[in-house]
Amino acid sequence: MSVSMLSTFVKPMHPEGRKFVAIFAGITLVLFLLWEPLGWIGVGLTVWCYYFFRDPVRVTPTRDGLMISPADGVVSLLEPAVPPVELGLGDQPMTRISVFMSVFNCHVNRLPLAGRITKIAYRPGLFLNASLDKASSDNERNGMAVQIADGRSYGVVQIAGLVARRILCEVREGQELMTGERFGLIRFGSRLDIYLPDGVQPLVCIGQTMIAGETVLADLHGTEAARSGGVR
């Protein structure tokens, strides 16, 4: 697969973004009629809107057992936590990795590890800053439980943020997906929580930058201890 200079900057756009880009473009035309400097501000915002809804091609590592980041962003939390009760994953703590997405990150979400979706559960809630710990329990969210080939399950939870106002889940219960397949999107700033299967150690650390569909979160077959990181 060759990479051109144009493809480096121009990315495909998720269908969810088309109406928003059209709205931004329409407002921009009106702003040009009112006052040209305002129109150029509108151009910048329209470009940002397209950029927000970009859906770039990703190259997913495919070795058996690798769990991949479901979201672009930064690891904001990494700790044991009881998964949302509605997912049916039990009442014991599981290792939770939280990936915070700013309004400048790509917001298309991808499945961390191939499996069958056994549960999808939406819960309304608040719109607190998604980087806060209590956003996991208080904010609007949509969770999925996924059963993998060895019978274990893990959870992925889309969490709305301070300016996010819609969670889009594009899959259904019973559906089987491959590692890195797209399953949804969250509009305008949010967070993804991943609850690792029992006995799996994370291979990322707080503050690390994630790339959806590419960055390895954990290895089901690995024996490496959990990592720590330092700012350089």
Side-chain angles (χ1 to χ4, degrees):
M1 181 177 64
S2 62
V3 179
S4 68
M5 183 64 71
L6 182 62
S7 65
T8 301
F9 297 99
V10 180
K11 305 295 183 182
M13 184 173 62
H14 191 281
E16 179 76 2
R18 294 171 185 166
K19 57 186 176 184
F20 290 95
V21 171
I23 291 171
F24 273 65
I27 293 173
T28 296
L29 290 176
V30 174
L31 292 176
F32 267 117
L33 294 174
L34 294 175
W35 190 38
E36 184 174 336
L38 286 178
W40 287 111
I41 293 174
V43 169
L45 292 174
T46 302
V47 171
W48 168 80
C49 185
Y50 154 76
Y51 186 70
F52 177 87
F53 285 103
R54 67 195 183 280
D55 184 11
V57 174
R58 296 286 165 81
V59 179
T60 300
T62 56
R63 180 169 65 74
D64 184 45
L66 292 182
M67 293 192 73
I68 311 301
S69 179
D72 285 17
V74 174
V75 177
S76 59
L77 294 169
L78 206 170
E79 59 191 0
V82 176
V85 63
E86 63 267 21
L87 295 184
L89 294 175
D91 58 3
Q92 296 302 308
M94 302 171 72
T95 299
R96 181 180 69 192
I97 302 173
S98 298
V99 180
F100 174 73
M101 296 176 283
S102 77
V103 294
F104 299 105
N105 289 125
C106 173
H107 276 57
V108 175
N109 303 142
R110 296 170 179 263
L111 197 73
L113 181 62
R116 182 173 63 88
I117 300 171
T118 57
K119 184 73 173 181
I120 297 177
Y122 169 80
R123 178 174 171 175
L126 304 177
F127 297 97
L128 304 174
N129 188 327
S131 64
L132 300 176
D133 185 22
K134 61 182 179 180
S136 292
S137 57
D138 295 348
N139 279 22
E140 176 184 358
R141 65 179 185 251
N142 187 78
M144 301 192 311
V146 183
Q147 186 177 57
I148 58 179
D150 64 9
R152 287 182 291 177
S153 293
Y154 69 91
V156 183
V157 184
Q158 298 168 291
I159 301 173
L162 187 63
V163 294
R165 287 298 182 269
R166 185 179 179 194
I167 296 173
L168 179 64
C169 182
E170 301 176 307
V171 296
R172 64 185 185 280
E173 290 183 2
Q175 188 171 347
E176 294 192 6
L177 298 179
M178 299 298 294
T179 303
E181 276 198 72
R182 300 165 178 84
F183 70 84
L185 175 145
I186 315 177
R187 287 206 308 241
F188 305 123
S190 42
R191 171 173 139 194
L192 262 286
D193 282 353
I194 308 96
Y195 293 86
L196 301 183
D198 292 339
V200 177
Q201 293 288 347
L203 296 180
V204 296
C205 49
I206 292 178
Q208 186 174 341
T209 299
M210 300 287 100
I211 300 176
E214 294 191 356
T215 305
V216 175
L217 291 180
D219 184 355
L220 271 62
H221 306 315
T223 57
E224 182 180 347
R227 297 177 180 177
S228 60
V231 177
R232 297 289 187 269

